[in-house]
Amino acid sequence: MTRPARWLGDLAQWMSPTFRRIRREHAKWDAEHHVDTAPGNQAGWMADIESENWSHGRGYHPAPSDSLIRRLSDLDIDYRDYTFIDFGSGKGRSLFAASNFPFSKIIGVEFNRYLHDTAVKNTRTYRSDQQQCADIDPVHADAIAYEIPDQPMVYYFYDPFAEPVMRPVVDNIFRRLRENGKKCFVIYFNPVFAEYFENSDQFRRIAQGSEFENYWNRTRLGNKDANEFTSELLDAERYVVYESVSQANLQ
């Protein structure tokens, strides 16, 4: 698909009544936290991507922050021992949600320069009484080439990539786990490629479900919109959580 064709598809979605309502919800969240994380109709956003993998990105939609906070709350860990990383972090909404927890560090990897630069600005202006981690580091990089830190990790994906990028990124996670054996978790929303983890002997599924009902209540969509967008929103709010398996158990 060419870049102009992708942009026209994004524009059609952007102009729909449902997404206008959703944008108002995003604008409210942004105003409360002094940031800009709402989706925008940035014509030509793909032209900002220098990586040859530009066509394998999913486009920008802010992470479902309330849903992510619930999933993070369910982890039975000492957050101070872990680094949180979001692949395809956009303007940083997920990073700020994660900052409600006292992670050792929070990292966002984004290959679009405009989105990355916006995330950097947001880290300077973000305000929340619930923030417990201020060490937030947006990184401008291709996710495939990014070197994962040698630390216990919590990985987050919000369906950021098509298979040509997602597969190598997951392989990098597997490789890092084989190298250091350090505990890690994966929180995966809209888990299109969940089979990568399901079929791995390095991870086990510890939770799964859907946050669609919560999303419905937050956005207060009408019946007409429900009939049109139920399938898409159900996909967006499905989640799976994985925990790494002790390397000793694999021997």
Side-chain angles (χ1 to χ4, degrees), residues 34-51:
H34 307 278
V35 293
D36 167 22
T37 68
N41 179 26
Q42 290 92 30
W45 68 269
M46 287 168 286
D48 293 333
I49 302 174
E50 299 172 0
S51 169

Side-chain angles (χ1 to χ4, degrees), residues 23-234:
R23 290 202 305 276
R24 287 196 291 270
E25 289 292 319
H26 290 317
K28 179 181 178 181
W29 192 94
D30 283 355
E32 291 173 352
H33 296 91
H34 307 278
V35 293
D36 167 22
T37 68
N41 179 26
Q42 290 92 30
W45 68 269
M46 287 168 286
D48 293 333
I49 302 174
E50 299 172 0
S51 169
E52 63 184 12
N53 292 314
W54 69 268
S55 62
H56 305 308
R58 298 295 201 193
Y60 174 65
H61 297 285
S65 52
D66 290 347
S67 303
L68 175 56
I69 288 171
R70 282 189 285 272
R71 303 287 72 77
L72 290 171
S73 297
D74 289 341
L75 297 181
D76 185 18
I77 61 174
D78 186 341
Y79 302 95
R80 296 169 296 181
D81 295 334
Y82 287 80
T83 293
F84 175 93
I85 183 168
D86 176 15
F87 286 103
S89 53
K91 296 181 179 181
R93 175 79 71 89
S94 65
L95 310 183
F96 302 127
S99 74
N100 280 20
F101 303 85
F103 283 105
S104 173
K105 187 181 183 67
I106 295 172
I107 299 170
V109 180
E110 173 58 53
F111 70 171
N112 178 277
R113 171 61 73 177
Y114 168 78
L115 297 178
H116 164 74
D117 288 346
T118 303
V120 171
K121 294 177 183 176
N122 286 336
T123 61
R124 300 175 185 141
T125 60
Y126 179 71
R127 298 291 182 273
S128 172
D129 293 339
Q130 298 177 318
Q131 186 173 17
Q132 298 187 63
C133 176
D135 190 358
I136 302 175
D137 183 20
V139 176
H140 181 234
D142 188 314
I144 293 177
Y146 179 74
E147 187 68 20
I148 297 172
D150 184 15
Q151 301 164 6
M153 304 293 297
V154 174
Y155 300 103
Y156 175 64
F157 295 96
Y158 183 31
D159 187 27
F161 315 120
E163 185 174 14
V165 173
M166 189 66 184
R167 176 78 260 187
V169 170
V170 172
D171 285 343
N172 288 341
I173 292 174
F174 293 165
R175 175 181 56 81
R176 176 58 82 191
L177 182 57
R178 287 193 300 270
E179 290 172 349
N180 65 19
K182 295 179 180 178
K183 193 73 173 179
C184 60
F185 295 83
V186 176
I187 299 175
Y188 190 179
F189 274 77
N190 193 8
V192 176
F193 302 109
E195 69 269 17
Y196 297 162
F197 297 99
E198 296 286 341
N199 297 332
S200 169
D201 60 3
Q202 295 177 271
F203 285 88
R204 67 182 184 95
R205 182 177 0 108
I206 59 173
Q208 64 180 343
S210 173
E211 289 280 356
F212 173 70
E213 189 170 341
N214 294 314
Y215 189 95
W216 181 278
N217 291 335
R218 286 203 308 275
T219 54
R220 294 182 286 278
L221 304 179
N223 290 332
K224 179 179 179 180
D225 290 323
N227 294 331
E228 184 176 358
F229 287 97
T230 292
S231 177
E232 178 178 346
L233 294 179
L234 275 171

